[in-house]
Amino acid sequence: MSDLPTGNAAIGQSGGPTAVINQSLAGVVEGLQTGLVASGKVKKIFGMRHGVRGIAKDGGDLVDLSHLPAATIEAVAQTPSAALGSTRDKPDDAYCAQILEGCRQNEIRYFFYIGGNDSADTCRIVSEKAAEAGYEMRCFHVPKTIDNDLKENDHTPGFASAARFVTLAHMGDALDNASLGGIKINVVMGRNAGFLTAAASLARRARETDKDAAKRPAPHLVYVPEVPFVMDHFLHDVDSVYTKLGRCQVAVSEGIRDANGEEIGPQLMRSGEVDAHGNVQLSGSGALGDGLADAVKKALTPAGGKAPRVRADTFGYLQRCWPVTSPVDAREARGVGRHAAALAAEGDTGASITIERTSNVPGEYRSAFGRAELSAVARYARHMPEDFSDNGNNISASFYDYCMPLVGDLPEFGTL
């Protein structure tokens, strides 16, 4: 450890908050305290307010985390959302040059950034600029995203807790739908990857699937971005289930696309609000659900007859920070933070931390933490594997095997 640089450490949180992102923050702090701080290589641990904004602004906006009591660390770890504040900034070369200058001013030698693939890219660019400038600094990306779309990972911290919320929400909503009948459409987060929407299928509490949607437990229909969405097929699917059962529950991703790759949401929206990255805002709008509901009403209303009861909900930001987490998610989110600090203490010059599944035997799920090069994770997004989808409107048994160990025990309901 004698050849490691001596200075300070900085930790930041980026992108959409999750229910367990503070577990990762706590893991990095704990790992540093028992490693580089104990060895004298790290003098102070700084938290960057609102991600890299906290280090890039003149003078910095930093909070000293060096001497936090264990009880405070644990309380923060159990708290959802980003305790340091987050940012949607997507730094380019010029912005990263400001970040590096802020690191110089605050003697940062160890840089930890908790976030998705854009955060990995920020780490990559800052690391490369530091090397070009001859400034020794180690940069580590700590994974986080409810979308579960990071390369090199079996799954990512934040996903399992959000998946648990989606599963439980559909379990309760299915009972509501069965009580009153009608058609219910639930729009779930996921612009490019369908993992989170697919988690709705766990509400069935059954691994088996059926080609006949009306014979499946609810949700009867599930649509993800990886499978082209055809409006006529959707309306036929809903009509088929509703005709047979008098009810139909649908889970649909906010990012569903047509055969040309064009998002359905913007096609049904009257406004063009965009997010910080220039994408049409999907999560903050109910337009997709309302548009699909209107289409169903028009298609399924007989001439001169009564329209079916159709309702739509957009889960939106509720999915991200619901305070009842998956135990697996909380444990692994803490673990990736500790592993990042451990790699730094071992002399690693920079990496993205990964989660690898080592056992998927029922009741014996296990995982391990590894590393990937920043360039392998930065900017790229992965999609849900083809074998997780089934028949265009359903999720396969293989996804159930993949996701069920992550969400934790589900409640048992009684029937009459």
Side-chain angles (χ1 to χ4, degrees), residues 10 13 41-42 46 67 89 107 109 149 159 161 169 232 238 260 279 287 295 319 338 342 344 346 356 360 375 395 413:
Q13 298 171 306
K41 292 298 180 179
V42 166
F46 290 117
H67 305 292
D89 289 0
E107 298 183 73
R109 297 290 183 173
D149 62 351
F159 166 68
S161 293
D232 288 345
V238 173
N260 296 318
N279 299 313
Q319 299 156 94
R338 288 173 175 162
E346 292 168 6
E356 305 160 3
N360 204 47
S375 58
I395 301 303
F413 295 146

Side-chain angles (χ1 to χ4, degrees), residues 139-372:
C139 297
F140 297 89
H141 168 241
V142 181
K144 172 247 48 162
T145 173
I146 67 168
D147 289 337
N148 200 33
D149 62 351
L150 291 188
K151 294 275 191 178
E152 308 296 325
N153 283 270
D154 178 83
H155 56 280
T156 50
F159 166 68
S161 293
R164 180 174 176 80
F165 172 88
V166 168
T167 300
L168 292 172
H170 278 84
M171 289 176 70
D173 185 68
L175 297 175
D176 182 284
N177 182 240
S179 297
L180 292 171
I183 298 157
K184 180 63 189 304
I185 301 169
N186 292 324
V187 179
V188 181
M189 273 185 172
R191 180 182 289 275
N192 299 307
F195 291 99
L196 196 56
T197 304
S201 67
L202 301 187
R204 300 168 182 163
R205 300 183 61 91
R207 183 180 186 277
E208 294 76 20
T209 61
D210 198 301
K211 295 297 183 184
D212 184 348
K215 294 181 179 179
R216 304 169 194 155
H220 306 100
L221 302 167
V222 184
Y223 300 91
V224 295
E226 289 84 353
V227 179
F229 182 88
V230 180
M231 184 64 78
D232 288 345
H233 293 176
F234 165 72
L235 296 173
H236 175 270
D237 292 343
V238 173
D239 187 24
S240 177
V241 175
Y242 180 67
T243 298
K244 293 176 182 178
L245 301 179
R247 69 182 188 277
C248 180
Q249 188 194 43
V250 183
V252 57
S253 170
E254 66 181 7
I256 52 171
R257 302 166 185 271
D258 62 23
N260 296 318
E262 299 295 325
E263 292 176 344
I264 301 298
Q267 297 175 27
L268 300 175
M269 297 172 73
R270 296 186 179 89
S271 64
E273 182 182 355
V274 297
D275 63 19
H277 296 166
N279 299 313
V280 173
Q281 190 72 39
L282 299 178
S283 299
S285 169
L288 175 60
D290 292 343
L292 293 175
D294 287 344
V296 169
K297 286 179 183 178
K298 291 177 183 177
L300 272 64
T301 300
K306 184 179 179 181
R309 181 177 184 272
V310 187
R311 299 290 185 270
D313 278 331
T314 299
F315 287 3
Y317 298 132
L318 285 173
Q319 299 156 94
R320 296 200 306 214
C321 293
W322 197 253
V324 182
T325 62
S326 151
V328 167
D329 202 20
R331 182 174 69 249
E332 291 179 338
R334 190 77 153 254
V336 292
R338 288 173 175 162
H339 193 66
L343 287 182
E346 292 168 6
D348 199 312
T349 57
S352 178
I353 310 306
T354 60
I355 297 178
E356 305 160 3
R357 189 176 308 219
T358 58
S359 173
N360 204 47
V361 177
E364 297 182 21
Y365 165 83
R366 290 190 296 274
S367 64
F369 306 118
R371 70 177 301 284

